[in-house]
Every structure is written in C-alpha cells, then in structure tokens.
Amino acid sequence: MKKILSAILAGAMLCTSAMMFSACGNKTESTADSKTESSAAEAKELHMATNAAFEPYEYKEGGEVVGIDAEIAKAVCDKLGCKLVIDDMDFDAIITAVTSGKADFGMAGMTVTDERKQSVDFTDSYTNAVQVIIVNEDDGKVAGKADLEGKTIGVQLGTTGDLYVSDDVKDAQVERFNKGADAVLALTQGKVDAVVIDNQPAKAFVAQNPGTKILEEDFANEEYAICLAKGSELTEKFNTALKELKDDGTIDTVIKKYIKD
Ligand code: ARG
C-alpha cells in the first residue's frame, strides 16, 4: 500500500514539474486535473518575430525561413513543448511586435542594447558578433573607421549599425534601408560610400556583390540575444533551454553548420 501511494505521489510530482517546465500544452498528461489540457492536444504556438534577410542568422530558402536563429528557436521551442511559428517583418517592427504581444519573442541577430532593454527583456546571449564596414574594393575613400567622417553611409533601419553611425560618426549622412542587401546595392551603385552592418551578413553580401569588400577594422563588438516582453515568464524558461543547448553542444553545432571559418 505504502509503495503504491508513494508511486502515485512520485507520479504526481513528475507531472507537476513537467507542467511547470512546459510553457505550452503537455500532451502526455493523464491526471484528472489535466484532462482538459491534454485533450487540447495541439502544442501551443510560439510566434517569433524576425527579419529574414540576414544570412546566416535568418533568411529564406524556398519560401522557408532557415538559419542559425531559426534552428536555435526551433530547438528552444521543442524543449518547451511548443510549436515554432516564424513571422517575417521589417527589423524595426520586431520590438513593437513583441511589446504589443503580437509575437511571443523576437530573434533576429538582435544585439542587446541598453536602449532596447527599456522596452523588452533579453535572454542570456547565445552568440556574439561585430559591426564591420563594407566598401567598394577600389575606391579608396574609406580605409577605416576614421574615414567615415562626413561620408554617406548605408545602414539597415533601426539596427545598431544605424545607431552607431548616427550617434558616433561626425557629419555622417546616414542612408537607412529596410534591408541590408539594399544598402549594399546602393554601395555598388555608388550611392553610398560605405555600409556598416554585422560581420556574418556582411560576408554573405560581399560574396553576392563582387567588387565589394569588408574592411579589417571592426566597428563594435556585440552580443546577440532573444527579446521577450518585459516581465515575461518565458524568459527564464528560454534561458534554461538555451543553457541546456549550449551545454550539450547544440548551439555550437548549429553555428558551425552555417558559419564555416
Ligand atoms: N545586430 C544588429 C541589431 O541588433 C542588426 C540585426 C539585424 N537583423 C536582421 N535580422 N535584419 O541591431
């Protein structure tokens, strides 16, 4: 009798902790209390706001959003027992989508900044990056950061590249584009003198635009993280999942799949 009782107790405890960990429906529950929940069957969806024009973090391949962020997000959602739904939008719409509750989280090679922290919470960082400068190979106008002064500089609207150039580069004429690719296109057309953008997408853009190159001098170091609504109970769950995915090597494997150097 004792044994049976403790087995039931242990079972109940297991269920509760499984339910506590899972932010989303738990399909395997069978206690009386959770019957209604389990018959809801379908896993809850978690909407990720992103801007899928940022290879290798998020970009489209045959209509599907792929990349480092898409895969890490999928792994996090799997751990939470949720179904990942990716919503593609302009980069500068992501934070509003999250604060308004239209999206559950934002993940877009997004840099943690103090300013953004005033409107959203960030998870622990899952990787880092640097801002670099792209120029036309042989026009010699910009050879380093100092040469940006007074130049026309292309950036993606609302990104940290936009922020740095607008705040820190004296007399810069900042041209803001919805997509990084459009900023690089403007560079190849001679409409801007340089583009400031994250290093990995920069590599992809340069590979697609012969005649452009990345300058050796970096602009700034950054940490990427996932953003969630302020006070969201998901943040801690995301952090736990991210830690597990870091510890078991999943994040490393995903990054190495897309970044080969
Ligand atoms: N790291 C930069 C930022 O947070 C640029 C991110 C752009 N991401 C994108 N998916 N377009 O501002």
Side-chain angles (χ1 to χ4, degrees):
M1 184 63 188
K2 241 189 187 171
K3 262 192 195 156
I4 297 172
L5 254 178
S6 60
I8 293 173
L9 247 168
M13 269 159 71
L14 256 176
C15 284
T16 337
S17 59
M19 281 166 68
M20 264 166 35
F21 182 73
S22 170
C24 303
N26 195 316
K27 286 185 250 179
T28 57
E29 297 307 322
S30 58
T31 57
D33 282 353
S34 59
K35 262 203 181 112
T36 31
E37 213 179 303
S38 54
S39 60
E42 278 305 293
K44 190 190 158 203
E45 292 180 344
L46 283 184
H47 283 254
M48 158 174 155
T50 196
N51 171 244
F54 207 61
E55 189 179 344
Y57 297 98
E58 46 268 326
Y59 58 103
K60 288 207 177 126
E61 218 171 63
E64 201 198 337
V65 178
V66 296
I68 294 171
D69 290 348
E71 291 204 19
I72 295 177
K74 172 81 170 55
V76 168
C77 288
D78 281 351
K79 279 200 179 285
L80 300 185
C82 299
K83 182 171 179 284
L84 172 67
V85 182
I86 299 181
D87 299 335
D88 188 21
M89 59 190 74
D90 284 342
F91 182 77
D92 77 329
I94 296 175
I95 294 211
T96 318
V98 171
T99 55
S100 68
K102 256 197 229 148
D104 298 290
F105 66 101
M107 190 173 190
M110 188 181 280
T111 306
V112 179
T113 70
D114 286 339
E115 198 191 329
R116 288 174 183 161
K117 272 189 196 165
Q118 296 186 354
S119 23
V120 286
D121 284 348
F122 280 101
T123 60
D124 298 330
S125 172
Y126 58 91
T127 191
N128 49 16
V130 281
Q131 293 291 313
V132 296
I133 303 165
I134 308 178
V135 296
N136 285 318
E137 225 154 27
D138 12 73
D139 82 354
K141 275 192 264 180
V142 178
K145 212 164 147 178
D147 301 324
L148 289 175
E149 202 176 304
K151 299 289 193 305
T152 305
I153 306 166
V155 296
Q156 187 181 12
L157 175 70
T159 59
T160 47
D162 182 357
L163 206 85
Y164 298 141
V165 171
S166 308
D167 288 358
D168 304 341
V169 180
K170 211 170 142 231
D171 302 326
Q173 171 80 37
V174 188
E175 296 287 337
R176 300 180 176 88
F177 299 86
N178 273 328
K179 288 183 182 156
D182 293 338
V184 178
L185 182 67
L187 175 70
T188 61
Q189 295 168 340
K191 292 179 185 158
V192 300
D193 301 313
V195 170
V196 173
I197 199 153
D198 306 48
N199 58 334
Q200 293 302 336
K203 280 189 203 161
F205 293 139
V206 165
Q208 288 149 16
N209 291 279
T212 59
K213 67 170 183 192
I214 297 172
L215 296 183
E216 253 166 52
E217 189 183 4
D218 291 342
F219 210 85
N221 283 299
E222 317 193 308
E223 299 280 341
Y224 287 173
I226 300 170
C227 71
L228 298 106
K230 272 212 161 300
S232 168
E233 52 147 36
L234 275 179
T235 307
E236 207 187 304
K237 295 184 170 110
F238 270 49
N239 276 335
T240 308
L242 282 174
K243 176 152 192 335
E244 286 171 14
L245 294 167
K246 256 181 227 170
D247 290 349
D248 73 6
T250 306
I251 291 188
D252 245 19
T253 309
V254 170
I255 291 176
K256 287 208 178 99
K257 173 174 162 191
Y258 288 93
I259 301 176
K260 304 206 159 50
D261 5 90

